[in-house]
Amino acid sequence: MRTTQPLVRFCLTATAAALPLALAVPAKAAPGISVSTSGSTVTVTTSACPTMDANSSFGRASLLSSGQASFAQGRQATLSGSSTTQSAAWANVSPGTYTVIVMCNNGSTAGTQSIIVSGAPTPSRTPTPTPTRSISATASPSRGVMGGFGGTAKEYGTLTVVGGGVLVAAGLGTTVWYLRRRAKPHRL
């Protein structure tokens, strides 16, 4: 009596069902937000809130420090700009780790992102432009998956995800082949 047939059928069915999912091109993700810091100023930019209200505002953004859990607890700023790009800024932000949340006028969340503020640059005697350090990341990956160690994150594209899917399919195929070969009686 051969009991490997149901297992083989299951593996082949699962592989056939998973392969189109791995090869599918992901849908375009929402624009999200981009947060940057320059000294003690934090700026958030988005294009996800194109509708302006009667107060000429596109929405609100909130800067939450550690220990603050809701939008209302943070330092709030009004989103201004145009229907294509909206932004808000906070000045004199103390060094630390913060979370920025952007809410559009329609009540939807445009995005959430963490940022580290290292502090104000040392003032110089000659008026020179201060270097800007920008940290951009999205709350969720636009394509593929995000991976990294500690505070780093890297977004893996479609090609990497497809390559991983092919390796998984090859591994399943090899497993099925091995189990089928092992189940056959050996003739001398």
Side-chain angles (χ1 to χ4, degrees), residues 64-121:
L64 285 74
S65 61
S66 60
Q68 295 177 326
S70 70
F71 185 87
Q73 292 176 332
R75 277 175 66 180
Q76 294 188 19
T78 303
L79 286 175
S80 60
S82 66
S83 61
T84 56
T85 305
Q86 307 83 40
S87 64
W90 298 269
N92 300 321
V93 178
S94 301
T97 302
Y98 295 88
T99 302
V100 176
I101 303 173
V102 175
M103 297 283 286
C104 299
N105 285 334
N106 62 4
S108 66
T109 303
T112 302
Q113 182 179 320
S114 295
I115 188 152
I116 298 172
V117 178
S118 58

Side-chain angles (χ1 to χ4, degrees), residues 5 10 17 29 42 45 53 65 70 74 87 110 119 128 130-131 141 160 162 182:
Q5 282 294 346
F10 172 76
V42 176
T45 306
D53 66 6
S65 61
S70 70
S87 64
T128 58
T130 56
T160 305
V162 169
R182 191 172 155 198

